[in-house]
Amino acid sequence: QSAFAECLQIAGLGGTEELVCVDDQEDSFARSNKVFDQLQRFEHQVRRFIERVMLAAFGAKWMRQQLPPKMLESWIGKRNKAVKAGHAEVPLIDYAAFSDYKATIERNDNWEAVFKPVFGRQEDVRESFQRLFPVRIATMHARFITADDELLLVVETKRVLRAIFSQQTTT
């Protein structure tokens, strides 16, 4: 176990002490809470990134012009339902589903104009989101997260965020 943790430290995936502990129920709750927090922060960063680069590339009407069919209507519907239920209105992209990020990024014109320079290969970003999706589903449905799930989350979110933050420092 210690060799595994040491390899992760060397690879820059620090803070992995929890990954190698004995899996009992308390550890599972703690891991699930940690993963929830990481996913929430990751999604926030992805939303802000998409919003920023799409606005810069396509202007204020980017949502109307560049989202896949029916996606904008879905976001508006979710916002209206939330506001009607008494929640404060937040930026429209905050009503996006996890799968909406990948669909927006992969849309051909968006990919070519905005996201290709950031991610390089479409397959890379697609694979990251596909790998994260089951972990996100399990997390949001209060299922326990395994150490393998947490490791996958760390690696894949790091891949995506590294590309996003690299792009921010070059623009």
Side-chain angles (χ1 to χ4, degrees):
Q1 285 182 351
S2 62
F4 178 70
E6 184 178 332
C7 288
L8 292 174
Q9 278 298 118
I10 292 168
L13 301 173
T16 59
E17 296 76 21
E18 296 83 20
L19 293 177
V20 293
C21 65
V22 176
D23 193 25
D24 67 8
Q25 203 169 32
E26 270 313 303
D27 288 342
S28 295
F29 279 118
R31 183 182 304 110
S32 295
N33 288 334
K34 182 178 175 185
V35 166
F36 178 86
D37 183 62
Q38 290 173 326
L39 275 168
Q40 188 174 32
R41 292 171 189 281
F42 172 72
E43 285 195 55
H44 178 79
Q45 290 294 329
V46 169
R47 287 175 179 166
R48 298 292 78 83
F49 164 71
I50 291 172
E51 186 175 52
R52 180 177 50 79
V53 297
M54 293 296 282
L55 183 61
F58 299 108
K61 294 183 180 182
W62 76 266
M63 288 185 189
R64 293 217 178 275
Q65 298 169 343
Q66 299 306 127
L67 290 176
K70 308 280 184 200
M71 192 178 287
L72 179 59
E73 291 79 12
S74 172
W75 295 1
I76 291 170
K78 290 175 187 177
R79 179 195 57 201
N80 292 345
K81 186 176 178 180
V83 169
K84 187 176 180 181
H87 298 281
E89 190 171 327
V90 295
L92 198 53
I93 196 168
D94 290 353
Y95 298 97
F98 190 79
S99 58
D100 293 348
Y101 313 138
K102 185 171 95 57
T104 301
I105 291 168
E106 287 184 343
R107 185 176 139 156
N108 285 335
D109 52 347
N110 294 343
W111 177 257
E112 289 300 323
V114 178
F115 298 108
K116 187 175 184 177
V118 176
F119 296 109
R121 288 178 4 106
Q122 195 173 40
E123 295 80 8
D124 289 343
V125 72
R126 177 183 302 131
E127 289 167 2
S128 288
F129 278 100
Q130 285 174 333
R131 288 179 185 130
L132 287 168
F133 191 70
V135 177
R136 188 188 184 279
I137 292 292
T139 302
M140 298 306 157
H141 291 272
R143 295 184 201 119
F144 286 135
I145 303 303
T146 67
D148 289 349
D149 292 334
E150 184 179 12
L151 178 59
L152 186 70
L153 174 79
V154 169
V155 171
E156 296 302 334
T157 57
K158 190 168 195 157
R159 282 180 68 193
V160 172
L161 293 175
R162 182 178 292 138
I164 288 172
F165 293 133
S166 294
Q167 185 271 342
Q168 285 179 336
T169 60
T170 60
T171 58

